[in-house]
Amino acid sequence: MVVDDDPMVITGIRGILQAADGVDVVASALSGEESVEKAGLHFPDVVLMDIQMPGIGGIEATQRLLNSVRPPKVVSLTSMSSDDHLFKALEAGAAGYLLKDIGPVELAAAIRKVHAGEPILSPQSMRQVIAKVRSNSDHRLQREAVELLSGLTDRERQIAELVADGLSNQEIAEETFMSLATVKTHLNRINVKLDTNNRVRIATMVVRARGH
């Protein structure tokens, strides 16, 4: 489902995705309120969510969708790169954060990755996350991160470190000589132990523990 208050943006994204294999646009919405209503009718797997819209906006709409009976994976799609928007979207539970200048091929690939359970960020956004965490000198948060990471097994810690280094699930599988399914199993366990819900938060925890 595509959510944006600009009908031209929706039309453009629909046109892009119609040419993408394995991606069907089942609905669109012009507001956060409408997105919640439409999601309850069409049950999309992935939602591309604009952030700045009249009404409840994309952040609150994301929270409502993720608290629904059949929550979709939500990707924030915005025209501006803002630290404030980025962190609010991730805190709301967004599985990804992309800028609207992303290319057609990259957009379709990002949707497939999110659908497969691999949250995504544009490289610029990931750099923003890491820079923000590194600039935070809160030693209490660092100690908490170190304590949580100490509960991981050696293999889980290795995978968490590779996530923080920006490797995809496939790249981690190749690096550790494990199957992709095994990597996903380890990531699920890491999320439970760290009380996180996506790889961005895992990366944040690791960078915070490193303290630099």
Side-chain angles (χ1 to χ4, degrees), residues 9-23:
V9 171
I10 291 178
T11 300
I13 293 177
R14 274 185 176 273
I16 288 171
L17 296 180
Q18 280 175 353
D21 292 335
V23 180

Side-chain angles (χ1 to χ4, degrees), residues 68-125:
S68 63
V69 177
R70 285 179 53 182
K73 294 179 174 68
V74 180
V75 177
S76 295
L77 191 63
T78 180
S79 58
M80 60 183 67
S81 178
S82 159
D83 280 359
D84 185 49
H85 288 155
L86 170 60
F87 283 94
K88 283 183 178 179
L90 296 178
E91 287 171 1
Y97 186 95
L98 299 172
L99 300 181
K100 287 182 180 177
D101 61 2
I102 188 173
V105 174
E106 290 78 11
L107 178 59
I111 291 171
R112 293 190 190 96
K113 282 186 177 181
V114 168
H115 182 251
E118 187 168 329
I120 45 88
L121 282 179
S122 66
Q124 180 181 354
S125 296

